[in-house]
Amino acid sequence: MAEETMIDETTEAIAKRSFPPDLPLLATNEVVIYPYMAAPLLIDDETTIHTVEQAMKTGHKVVALFGRQPVEGDSQDIDTRDLREHHLCPIGTAIQLVRAQRAPDGKLQLLVHGVSRVLLERIPADTQYPTARVKELQDIEESTAHFEALSRNVIGQFQKAVDLAPNVPQEMGEAVASLPERGQQIDFIATQVNLDFEERQKILGELSVRRRFEIVNTYLNREVEILELRQKIQTEAAGTIEDAQREFYLRQQMKAIQEELGEGEASREIDELREEIVKADLPDEAREEAERELGRMESMPQASPEYSVSRTYLDWMVRVPWSASSEDHLDVKAAEKQLDKDHYGLEQPKERILEYLSVRSLKNDVRGPILCLVGPPGVGKTSLGRSVAAAMGREFVRMSLGGVRDESEVRGHRRTYVGALPGRIIQGLRRAGTNNPVFMLDEIDKLGSDFRGDPSSALLEVLDPEQNHTFVDHYLDVAFDLSNVVFIATANSLHSIPPALLDRMEVLEVSGYTQVEKLEIAKRYLVPKQVSEHGLTSKRIYIDKGALRSVVSEYTREAGLRNLEREIGTICRKVARKFAEGRQRRVRVKETDLPDYLGPPRFRQELAETSNEVGVVAGLAWTPVGGDVLFVEATSTPGRGRLRLTGKLGDVMKESSEAAMTYIRSQGESLGLSGAFWEDTDVHVHVPAGAVPKDGPSAGVTMATVLASVYTDRPVKKDVAMTGEVTLRGKVLPIGGVRDKVLAAHRAGIRTVILPEDNRKDLEEVPDSVRKNVKIRFAEHVGQVLDQALVKKRTSNRTTARPSRPTRSPAAVAN
Ligand code: ADP
């Protein structure tokens, strides 16, 4: 608001004063003075000062003040003495000089009062000082309802502006009301509104009071709006400052109280946590939750159990890698090198992994399939996963799902439980320290489920790219984005993977190794690894090839490499001891030294030592630990034609045995038996080891052979093993796991393996080194199996087969 002061009574008197038509002339482009208003005026140019001094000498002390017309360019160029009509605005004010005073710097300070609006008629020439001939003007009044409404509105707005404006006395509003004329009121309001010179001049030049109200109305509305905004901004700013100050103040107070109570430690801890929350760069939702918890924590005594619950929670919140991620450097060529460097063989899985990495390197939106490496223990599944992580430059974490029965192991317990923790996924990520590691879900086939909930449903969410960006751990209780994690699953067998999970994954089979491969891997990888792990070097130990071969074949019998690696470790340990005890010279481990290091050989080529027997058949089974040889035994006793099956056989295996039985009974003639040869005989078939459950149809041919052997009393060739499903008509149907089964037969010293004819195509999976040593025969019909497996010798008397020798077999599933 402008600064003019209000008129007083004397002004009223002054305003009524009359003045001659020729008045000393002042021109200005700075101030506009309205009638009835008092204002200060500062004059600094000498001509004008002179004019004023002359005017002071007149009796009326009235001068005419006119605004300069706006001119192009700099107004300073105009000679103030050279005043013409066209330089000035046509309407100005006659003003009364109330007081004049010279300031020390020579300027003239005036206090003036507006008297009335005057029209500039002309500027007479040849006067002593600039003079104007003026004519007094009257306001044009109006008294319509519209005008009344307008004027009241303007006055109301003005009151509002006064209320909103800082440092403006409230009486301003009342002062307007006390002015007798609308014209005076609006002029007064105009002096108070923030306007520039031209706007003020425009109001001065308007004789119609209504027009003046209209003009001022627009300016006033603008002014009110600005004032309102200003107030709003100020309140907001004040609000935040006040809140912050208040919080600071309260915190200081609380700190003081806590110090007093001996809980200063707690406040320090809370400050630290607050800082850590900022540093951890949590997503909004998580940050809010963490801050809320921190707030709760502040109000708890440090000794309370809730305090430490909150503390643990916040500790987790700030350590989970919400935004920490490692940078990918995916170079497929380098990845190939890495995979080859870490692994011997494994061509197929390597191929597939490289394809997988290639796709990822081309297309960065991660929705790739989830790889599931399936194979027996110790064949390098975990180690492949590690190499993938190394090739991608990512962290590697592993989580074993074996025996996980509880959903909350995956998803965490709710915080309300005592001792609750996040689930293994979040724990794994915390260990990794980044939110995009390669995350290996080990033994996904060993997942259990019971009344505590089904962990596989939680895993489904984890592995589903559509859902896993908002994975909610029960403990953290806020969503975590898992979409950048590369999940790789491993399993020993496909059967027990929950189908819904299997559906989400791409299976990559990693099968067992041959003896030759094992020897190579031992030489190139396992020995150097174990040697260095035991603090030795090749200068101190050398295990020769014969020794390694013997470890492979006589000390281990497995599809993978776990025991082999362990045995090599044992040798290294014992050698390390020798050096610790003072040995100087290099140790060379020869085959003949092995009993000293590892004890007597654990596996002999047993078959070579046994003879062909009646009622013992080597069946080939596929188990989660690789292929295996099962020695199925049968014996007959006098009875009534019953079949007894033992050895924890599953339904499928039992039924396939019965089918085999029926088939053999129907074949009396071709077996050289007459009539109902089975009627007075009970047969008992047993599949060791008796305590391990077994199932699957692929033991059909083995059952048929063992029964035929018992009924005909023909011995079975000891070095023949077989696998295949049998139909009631004796047809041999194909089975799975050919490579693993043949490898197992080879390990056990079997010379001939009989496979279903339809499995001929799978033969290419079997390495040449094995095929050189194991003859593979194919059969379409049980008759062909019996021809090859049973010893040709025929005996006329049926004797009871002797109980056969015990066999070793950890077998589980024969499918
Ligand atoms: P899995 O996870 O399948 O049980 P691991 O990855 O733990 O098997 O492998 C067992 C050991 O054998 C590891 O030390 C691994 O490095 C080694 N290994 C397995 N396969 C190979 C291979 N093809 N070449 C070299 N080392 C291997």
Side-chain angles (χ1 to χ4, degrees), residues 89 204 407 542 549 756 792:
C89 299
L204 182 72
E407 191 190 352
Y542 175 76
R549 187 179 296 120
K792 288 276 178 309

Side-chain angles (χ1 to χ4, degrees), residues 371-653:
L371 297 180
C372 178
L373 303 165
V374 180
V379 290
K381 300 184 295 295
T382 312
S383 136
L384 278 174
R386 259 182 225 288
S387 302
V388 170
M392 296 175 85
R394 294 190 176 204
E395 295 295 325
F396 178 79
V397 270
R398 224 180 121 185
M399 151 181 175
S400 176
L401 294 167
V404 169
R405 310 185 141 263
D406 189 345
E407 191 190 352
S408 46
E409 290 204 44
V410 178
R411 238 185 216 296
H413 286 97
R414 296 203 182 277
R415 249 180 292 163
T416 41
Y417 286 86
V418 177
L421 278 181
R424 298 209 196 177
I425 300 283
I426 294 294
Q427 293 189 17
L429 289 170
R430 175 171 163 175
R431 240 180 302 135
T434 57
N435 61 14
N436 62 345
V438 172
F439 201 124
M440 181 159 262
L441 303 167
D442 244 346
E443 306 197 312
I444 202 161
D445 55 333
K446 309 278 193 318
L447 265 187
S449 79
D450 61 15
F451 61 93
R452 283 166 291 190
D454 183 359
S456 64
S457 62
L459 272 188
L460 274 181
E461 191 187 322
V462 169
L463 298 182
D464 185 348
E466 301 294 335
Q467 296 184 45
N468 70 6
H469 57 278
T470 53
F471 172 74
V472 178
D473 183 279
H474 286 330
Y475 181 78
L476 299 185
D477 208 22
V478 280
F480 188 92
D481 183 358
L482 291 176
S483 61
N484 296 318
V485 178
V486 175
F487 287 103
I488 299 183
T490 79
N492 289 141
S493 111
L494 283 179
H495 309 284
S496 36
I497 301 180
L501 275 180
L502 190 56
D503 212 43
R504 294 238 175 348
M505 301 188 290
E506 178 168 336
V507 173
L508 258 178
E509 293 204 26
V510 189
S511 48
Y513 295 108
T514 65
Q515 311 276 46
V516 180
E517 286 168 335
K518 283 186 188 178
L519 198 60
E520 246 348 274
I521 295 173
K523 227 171 47 188
R524 293 198 207 175
Y525 299 88
L526 305 183
V527 172
K529 188 166 143 201
Q530 289 300 322
V531 163
S532 85
E533 270 180 25
H534 287 83
L536 300 168
T537 58
S538 57
K539 289 209 181 86
R540 295 191 150 179
I541 179 171
Y542 175 76
I543 306 179
D544 78 19
K545 202 168 173 186
L548 280 180
R549 187 179 296 120
S550 164
V551 176
V552 168
S553 61
E554 293 182 351
Y555 288 84
T556 61
R557 185 164 287 173
E558 57 179 349
L561 302 161
R562 289 244 173 107
N563 291 327
L564 178 58
E565 189 170 10
R566 205 169 300 141
E567 299 295 341
I568 294 172
T570 308
I571 298 175
C572 293
R573 206 167 53 239
K574 300 215 160 148
V575 171
R577 183 169 165 195
K578 289 186 181 173
F579 280 97
E581 286 172 355
R583 187 186 168 95
Q584 298 295 329
R585 279 192 12 252
R586 173 159 108 152
V587 177
R588 177 166 176 204
V589 183
K590 300 192 292 294
E591 188 177 351
T592 48
D593 303 330
L594 287 182
D596 295 341
Y597 291 99
L598 303 174
R602 251 155 266 159
F603 304 97
R604 292 240 168 247
Q605 297 281 23
E606 304 138 80
L607 292 166
E609 291 160 17
T610 57
S611 53
N612 300 339
E613 285 185 53
V614 174
V616 180
V617 179
L620 292 174
W622 188 85
T623 76
V625 294
D628 205 351
V629 180
L630 297 180
F631 291 92
V632 177
E633 305 166 342
T635 188
S636 63
T637 51
R640 282 181 282 153
R642 281 174 303 205
L643 171 67
R644 243 188 112 201
L645 295 165
T646 56
K648 275 222 150 195
L649 310 188
D651 285 345
V652 178
M653 202 158 176

Side-chain angles (χ1 to χ4, degrees), residues 254-255 257-273 297 300-303 307 311:
M254 192 151 72
K255 249 191 211 167
I257 294 170
Q258 280 172 335
E259 296 280 350
E260 198 64 25
L261 288 174
E263 289 176 354
E265 183 60 26
S267 71
R268 251 189 307 284
E269 201 165 60
I270 286 168
D271 285 349
E272 271 167 31
L273 278 172
M297 198 171 155
M300 295 175 201
Q302 198 186 5
Y307 182 91
R311 152 113 241 180

